[in-house]
Amino acid sequence: MKKFLVLLSAALAFTSCSDDDFGNANNGLQPVNFSVNLKYDPITFNGQSVNGGSVILTNTNTGDTYTIESGTNGIANFPAVIPGTYNITATKTLTSTEFNTQFGYTPETQTVLFNGAQEQVIINANVNATELKLKTVRIGDLVIKQISYAGSHAQQGAVFRDQFIEIYNNSNETIYADGLCIGQLYGKTSTTTAAYTLASGQFDWSKSIGMTAGSSANTDYVYADYVIRIPGSGTTYPILPGESIVIAQTGINHKAPLVDNSGEPLSVQNPELTVDLSTADFEVYLGDYRLALGEDVYRFDIQNPAVTDMEIAYWGRQGYSSPNKDLIIDNLGRDSFVIFRGDDLNSYQNFPDPSIASITNTTKFFIQIPNNKIIDGVDLQHYNPSSQRPKMLQSQIDASFINCDAAYNSQAVYRKVKSIVNGRKILEDTNNSANDFVKFKANPRGFAN
């Protein structure tokens, strides 16, 4: 069953700031009042005000938050906000009856969620208000349930070798995983701005060499380093309702001693810190791919014949293959992932990142994935608030982000259980990772609650 959500898409005006914008230098930072005006999309919902929308301001440097609800006029007034740079998120849920009363027709679902986000909003004496507009988006039935990216202790655990991704069937119908793609996205890892970035610090892909899409290059697409794909003929790999598949970086028992591809023995001093992935459904093995390029197999890319290999759908433009030796997730949390179905990835365009001024034989190219092909997506984030990166995903896919507490701490991010119907767990799926996910010790096929 498909469901629809409504997304807040922000239109914020930015102004330049002077030394005095953040308060009197002699007296320190002086709190200012700030307001967020929530409105429904003027085309779809006639620009009506959002009453009772929950708005959160999060200071990007300290992690401090302010939460206020909007009034009947749609305005959320924040008194005494410390000047700085903030991320804004907002949510509003209407029951079917409330939605009908507000807009005059019955929605397809029992509840309709409105959410959205805006990054890198400067709040100071000169910038004290903004307006957010609501738009609708679609959510799929397959969801990313768990991302185990932090890894385990470098000396006592398995370092990064035990990373995995779990995908869950959140519907009441069997879905076949055959042909499902997982994209590991590419973007900037700092909010520093430049001539080739947006105001948030994220790449302005409209400035990539060969790009003709204009501003839609940033709003209608994401860009991936790597794409892996589940094999099959179309009905080979069913996922039953309430069941999941696990895609391991390396599908072996990481609790046990092993010998790597160079013949070096590896031991795990504390098996409790890591996981057994020998029963994973799929693993990402690049050995054959690298051998075909005349490269050595990565020492830790150990193939388990009992675990089905994922297809390497994209690892860089032909002739410009990526040097990355395995599907390694950044254990600081600076990655984003999407799941999607693409009939012919060869028809998808690829571009260098916008900072590249000329093409050389070492240039990397990133595949352009249309947002309307994406089934689900999750923005991870650096655990240190002062080291956070710009979001890669548009807020209709993920309105916020989620992170583990540290690197190498054995944690994963899990999607929360929303309800249980006839024994089947239904997971949270509001397109807002801060609401949908929590962090716990990694456990393949485990649940957060």
Side-chain angles (χ1 to χ4, degrees):
M1 297 172 63
K2 300 294 182 186
K3 59 182 181 178
F4 291 82
L5 297 182
V6 177
L7 165 78
L8 279 170
S9 175
L12 280 89
F14 287 69
T15 64
S16 60
C17 55
S18 66
D19 292 341
D20 293 334
D21 287 340
F22 295 96
N24 186 302
N26 295 325
N27 298 324
L29 294 174
Q30 301 300 311
V32 298
N33 296 332
F34 187 79
S35 64
V36 181
N37 189 1
L38 303 184
K39 288 185 177 295
Y40 296 106
D41 177 62
I43 297 175
T44 308
F45 300 110
N46 301 319
Q48 297 181 43
S49 297
V50 182
N51 180 22
S54 176
V55 185
I56 302 175
L57 307 181
T58 303
N59 188 295
T60 61
N61 184 50
T62 66
D64 293 338
T65 61
Y66 302 82
T67 304
I68 294 288
E69 283 197 357
S70 62
T72 56
N73 60 357
I75 296 176
N77 290 306
F78 291 84
V81 177
I82 299 298
T85 303
Y86 288 80
N87 291 334
I88 302 176
T89 59
T91 61
K92 171 65 180 178
T93 302
L94 294 177
T95 65
S96 177
T97 300
E98 291 169 336
F99 185 95
N100 187 287
T101 300
Q102 181 90 31
F103 302 114
Y105 65 96
T106 303
E108 297 181 5
T109 57
Q110 292 300 309
T111 60
V112 180
L113 174 70
F114 300 80
N115 67 3
Q118 176 64 43
E119 296 181 276
Q120 300 297 303
V121 180
I122 295 175
I123 297 177
N124 56 41
N126 293 333
V127 182
N128 56 19
T130 190
E131 180 178 288
L132 302 177
K133 297 177 182 178
L134 289 76
K135 295 182 180 179
T136 58
V137 298
R138 180 175 67 85
I139 299 299
D141 298 326
L142 291 176
V143 296
I144 298 172
K145 175 194 169 189
Q146 185 178 180
I147 305 177
S148 177
Y149 71 87
S152 53
H153 196 276
Q155 285 76 44
Q156 300 182 26
V159 200
F160 54 79
R161 301 189 302 272
D162 51 6
Q163 294 175 332
F164 66 89
I165 297 173
E166 184 176 359
I167 297 172
Y168 186 81
N169 183 353
N170 213 27
S171 78
N172 60 359
E173 300 175 346
T174 297
I175 298 176
Y176 290 93
D178 305 46
L180 185 71
C181 295
I182 302 174
Q184 185 176 17
L185 303 188
Y186 181 77
K188 280 186 77 265
T189 58
S190 76
T191 56
T192 304
T193 57
Y196 50 82
T197 72
L198 302 170
S200 67
Q202 191 52 269
F203 285 129
D204 181 353
W205 289 94
S206 70
K207 298 182 178 179
S208 297
I209 295 174
M211 180 67 72
T212 60
S215 62
S216 65
N218 300 309
T219 58
D220 295 355
Y221 302 93
V222 293
Y223 300 83
D225 256 322
Y226 316 109
V227 178
I228 53 176
R229 182 170 53 212
I230 294 174
S233 60
T235 56
T236 307
Y237 299 107
I239 311 177
L240 300 179
E243 299 292 335
S244 64
I245 55 173
V246 174
I247 299 97
Q249 180 196 112
T250 304
I252 61 175
N253 183 4
H254 295 278
K255 295 175 176 285
L258 59 93
V259 176
D260 69 24
N261 289 326
S262 68
E264 185 76 18
L266 298 172
S267 63
V268 175
Q269 298 178 28
N270 187 350
E272 292 304 310
L273 296 178
T274 184
V275 293
D276 180 357
L277 292 173
S278 62
T279 60
D281 299 277
F282 303 94
E283 68 175 356
V284 182
Y285 177 69
L286 269 80
D288 295 336
Y289 177 85
R290 287 183 56 77
L291 288 172
L293 295 176
E295 303 287 345
D296 293 334
V297 179
Y298 182 46
R299 60 177 293 205
F300 296 134
D301 193 9
I302 302 168
Q303 188 178 33
N304 182 352
V307 179
T308 302
D309 291 341
M310 294 286 285
E311 294 177 351
I312 309 304
Y314 184 83
W315 215 258
R317 178 188 286 189
Q318 187 173 1
Y320 296 84
S321 184
S322 170
N324 206 13
K325 301 176 181 179
D326 203 351
L327 185 73
I328 299 174
I329 308 175
D330 182 64
N331 56 22
L332 297 176
R334 297 171 298 182
D335 271 320
S336 298
F337 288 91
V338 295
I339 56 175
F340 67 101
R341 294 189 186 274
D343 296 332
D344 181 14
L345 292 189
N346 290 327
S347 67
Y348 285 26
Q349 293 183 285
N350 52 76
F351 300 92
D353 81 56
S355 69
I356 300 299
S358 60
I359 306 298
T360 71
N361 59 1
T362 61
T363 300
K364 291 182 64 177
F365 292 82
F366 307 95
I367 189 168
Q368 183 188 59
I369 302 169
N371 283 344
N372 61 16
K373 295 288 187 181
I374 294 174
I375 299 168
D376 190 33
V378 176
D379 264 328
L380 301 175
Q381 184 58 278
H382 198 294
Y383 59 85
N384 185 342
S386 64
S387 298
Q388 292 189 347
R389 66 183 178 99
K391 283 172 56 60
M392 296 185 198
L393 294 169
Q394 291 289 308
S395 20
Q396 68 263 33
I397 300 170
D398 189 356
S400 57
F401 48 77
I402 184 65
N403 59 270
C404 294
D405 291 325
Y408 304 119
N409 69 346
S410 302
Q411 282 186 339
V413 294
Y414 289 73
R415 198 175 287 270
K416 295 184 288 188
V417 176
K418 178 181 179 181
S419 60
I420 301 177
V421 177
N422 297 324
R424 176 173 63 89
K425 291 181 172 66
I426 299 174
L427 305 184
E428 287 283 3
D429 185 17
T430 68
N431 272 23
N432 188 333
S433 288
N435 292 334
D436 296 344
F437 283 82
V438 290
K439 47 203 170 189
F440 286 109
K441 186 177 184 295
N443 180 20
R445 299 187 177 87
F447 289 90
N449 54 320

